[in-house]
mmCIF file with all atom_site columns, all heavy atoms in Angstrom:
data_model
loop_
_atom_site.group_PDB
_atom_site.id
_atom_site.type_symbol
_atom_site.label_atom_id
_atom_site.label_alt_id
_atom_site.label_comp_id
_atom_site.label_asym_id
_atom_site.label_entity_id
_atom_site.label_seq_id
_atom_site.pdbx_PDB_ins_code
_atom_site.Cartn_x
_atom_site.Cartn_y
_atom_site.Cartn_z
_atom_site.occupancy
_atom_site.B_iso_or_equiv
_atom_site.pdbx_formal_charge
_atom_site.auth_seq_id
_atom_site.auth_comp_id
_atom_site.auth_asym_id
_atom_site.auth_atom_id
_atom_site.pdbx_PDB_model_num
ATOM 1  N N   . ASP A 1 235 ? 127.840 2.633  43.148 1.00 0.00 ? 235 ASP A N   1
ATOM 2  C CA  . ASP A 1 235 ? 126.436 2.359  42.819 1.00 0.00 ? 235 ASP A CA  1
ATOM 3  C C   . ASP A 1 235 ? 125.680 2.036  44.112 1.00 0.00 ? 235 ASP A C   1
ATOM 4  O O   . ASP A 1 235 ? 126.069 1.117  44.838 1.00 0.00 ? 235 ASP A O   1
ATOM 5  C CB  . ASP A 1 235 ? 126.434 1.167  41.840 1.00 0.00 ? 235 ASP A CB  1
ATOM 6  C CG  . ASP A 1 235 ? 125.059 0.562  41.596 1.00 0.00 ? 235 ASP A CG  1
ATOM 7  O OD1 . ASP A 1 235 ? 124.044 1.205  41.920 1.00 0.00 ? 235 ASP A OD1 1
ATOM 8  O OD2 . ASP A 1 235 ? 125.013 -0.569 41.066 1.00 0.00 ? 235 ASP A OD2 1
ATOM 9  N N   . PRO A 1 236 ? 124.595 2.770  44.393 1.00 0.00 ? 236 PRO A N   1
ATOM 10 C CA  . PRO A 1 236 ? 123.863 2.480  45.630 1.00 0.00 ? 236 PRO A CA  1
ATOM 11 C C   . PRO A 1 236 ? 123.274 1.070  45.646 1.00 0.00 ? 236 PRO A C   1
ATOM 12 O O   . PRO A 1 236 ? 123.219 0.426  46.700 1.00 0.00 ? 236 PRO A O   1
ATOM 13 C CB  . PRO A 1 236 ? 122.746 3.531  45.660 1.00 0.00 ? 236 PRO A CB  1
ATOM 14 C CG  . PRO A 1 236 ? 122.619 4.039  44.258 1.00 0.00 ? 236 PRO A CG  1
ATOM 15 C CD  . PRO A 1 236 ? 123.975 3.874  43.631 1.00 0.00 ? 236 PRO A CD  1
ATOM 16 N N   . GLY A 1 237 ? 122.856 0.582  44.474 1.00 0.00 ? 237 GLY A N   1
ATOM 17 C CA  . GLY A 1 237 ? 122.277 -0.759 44.412 1.00 0.00 ? 237 GLY A CA  1
ATOM 18 C C   . GLY A 1 237 ? 123.310 -1.814 44.767 1.00 0.00 ? 237 GLY A C   1
ATOM 19 O O   . GLY A 1 237 ? 123.072 -2.703 45.593 1.00 0.00 ? 237 GLY A O   1
ATOM 20 N N   . PHE A 1 238 ? 124.459 -1.699 44.171 1.00 0.00 ? 238 PHE A N   1
ATOM 21 C CA  . PHE A 1 238 ? 125.528 -2.673 44.398 1.00 0.00 ? 238 PHE A CA  1
ATOM 22 C C   . PHE A 1 238 ? 125.994 -2.636 45.851 1.00 0.00 ? 238 PHE A C   1
ATOM 23 O O   . PHE A 1 238 ? 126.158 -3.670 46.508 1.00 0.00 ? 238 PHE A O   1
ATOM 24 C CB  . PHE A 1 238 ? 126.697 -2.352 43.458 1.00 0.00 ? 238 PHE A CB  1
ATOM 25 C CG  . PHE A 1 238 ? 127.724 -3.432 43.367 1.00 0.00 ? 238 PHE A CG  1
ATOM 26 C CD1 . PHE A 1 238 ? 127.721 -4.316 42.302 1.00 0.00 ? 238 PHE A CD1 1
ATOM 27 C CD2 . PHE A 1 238 ? 128.708 -3.568 44.335 1.00 0.00 ? 238 PHE A CD2 1
ATOM 28 C CE1 . PHE A 1 238 ? 128.677 -5.310 42.201 1.00 0.00 ? 238 PHE A CE1 1
ATOM 29 C CE2 . PHE A 1 238 ? 129.668 -4.565 44.246 1.00 0.00 ? 238 PHE A CE2 1
ATOM 30 C CZ  . PHE A 1 238 ? 129.648 -5.439 43.174 1.00 0.00 ? 238 PHE A CZ  1
ATOM 31 N N   . ASN A 1 239 ? 126.218 -1.424 46.350 1.00 0.00 ? 239 ASN A N   1
ATOM 32 C CA  . ASN A 1 239 ? 126.684 -1.303 47.741 1.00 0.00 ? 239 ASN A CA  1
ATOM 33 C C   . ASN A 1 239 ? 125.639 -1.816 48.721 1.00 0.00 ? 239 ASN A C   1
ATOM 34 O O   . ASN A 1 239 ? 125.972 -2.420 49.739 1.00 0.00 ? 239 ASN A O   1
ATOM 35 C CB  . ASN A 1 239 ? 127.089 0.143  48.051 1.00 0.00 ? 239 ASN A CB  1
ATOM 36 C CG  . ASN A 1 239 ? 128.502 0.439  47.573 1.00 0.00 ? 239 ASN A CG  1
ATOM 37 O OD1 . ASN A 1 239 ? 129.482 0.193  48.286 1.00 0.00 ? 239 ASN A OD1 1
ATOM 38 N ND2 . ASN A 1 239 ? 128.637 0.936  46.352 1.00 0.00 ? 239 ASN A ND2 1
ATOM 39 N N   . ALA A 1 240 ? 124.355 -1.591 48.398 1.00 0.00 ? 240 ALA A N   1
ATOM 40 C CA  . ALA A 1 240 ? 123.295 -2.100 49.279 1.00 0.00 ? 240 ALA A CA  1
ATOM 41 C C   . ALA A 1 240 ? 123.315 -3.628 49.314 1.00 0.00 ? 240 ALA A C   1
ATOM 42 O O   . ALA A 1 240 ? 123.155 -4.234 50.375 1.00 0.00 ? 240 ALA A O   1
ATOM 43 C CB  . ALA A 1 240 ? 121.936 -1.601 48.808 1.00 0.00 ? 240 ALA A CB  1
ATOM 44 N N   . ILE A 1 241 ? 123.534 -4.244 48.158 1.00 0.00 ? 241 ILE A N   1
ATOM 45 C CA  . ILE A 1 241 ? 123.609 -5.709 48.114 1.00 0.00 ? 241 ILE A CA  1
ATOM 46 C C   . ILE A 1 241 ? 124.795 -6.201 48.945 1.00 0.00 ? 241 ILE A C   1
ATOM 47 O O   . ILE A 1 241 ? 124.689 -7.170 49.702 1.00 0.00 ? 241 ILE A O   1
ATOM 48 C CB  . ILE A 1 241 ? 123.689 -6.195 46.648 1.00 0.00 ? 241 ILE A CB  1
ATOM 49 C CG1 . ILE A 1 241 ? 122.337 -5.983 45.959 1.00 0.00 ? 241 ILE A CG1 1
ATOM 50 C CG2 . ILE A 1 241 ? 124.119 -7.654 46.572 1.00 0.00 ? 241 ILE A CG2 1
ATOM 51 C CD1 . ILE A 1 241 ? 122.334 -6.223 44.451 1.00 0.00 ? 241 ILE A CD1 1
ATOM 52 N N   . LEU A 1 242 ? 125.911 -5.511 48.822 1.00 0.00 ? 242 LEU A N   1
ATOM 53 C CA  . LEU A 1 242 ? 127.104 -5.898 49.592 1.00 0.00 ? 242 LEU A CA  1
ATOM 54 C C   . LEU A 1 242 ? 126.832 -5.779 51.097 1.00 0.00 ? 242 LEU A C   1
ATOM 55 O O   . LEU A 1 242 ? 127.190 -6.665 51.879 1.00 0.00 ? 242 LEU A O   1
ATOM 56 C CB  . LEU A 1 242 ? 128.278 -5.003 49.164 1.00 0.00 ? 242 LEU A CB  1
ATOM 57 C CG  . LEU A 1 242 ? 129.629 -5.234 49.822 1.00 0.00 ? 242 LEU A CG  1
ATOM 58 C CD1 . LEU A 1 242 ? 130.133 -6.665 49.589 1.00 0.00 ? 242 LEU A CD1 1
ATOM 59 C CD2 . LEU A 1 242 ? 130.666 -4.240 49.271 1.00 0.00 ? 242 LEU A CD2 1
ATOM 60 N N   . ILE A 1 243 ? 126.187 -4.689 51.494 1.00 0.00 ? 243 ILE A N   1
ATOM 61 C CA  . ILE A 1 243 ? 125.897 -4.479 52.914 1.00 0.00 ? 243 ILE A CA  1
ATOM 62 C C   . ILE A 1 243 ? 124.925 -5.550 53.426 1.00 0.00 ? 243 ILE A C   1
ATOM 63 O O   . ILE A 1 243 ? 125.128 -6.152 54.488 1.00 0.00 ? 243 ILE A O   1
ATOM 64 C CB  . ILE A 1 243 ? 125.322 -3.055 53.133 1.00 0.00 ? 243 ILE A CB  1
ATOM 65 C CG1 . ILE A 1 243 ? 126.396 -2.003 52.814 1.00 0.00 ? 243 ILE A CG1 1
ATOM 66 C CG2 . ILE A 1 243 ? 124.796 -2.888 54.560 1.00 0.00 ? 243 ILE A CG2 1
ATOM 67 C CD1 . ILE A 1 243 ? 125.863 -0.575 52.732 1.00 0.00 ? 243 ILE A CD1 1
#
Side-chain angles (χ1 to χ4, degrees):
D235 169 16
F238 193 99
N239 278 274
I241 289 171
L242 181 59
I243 294 169

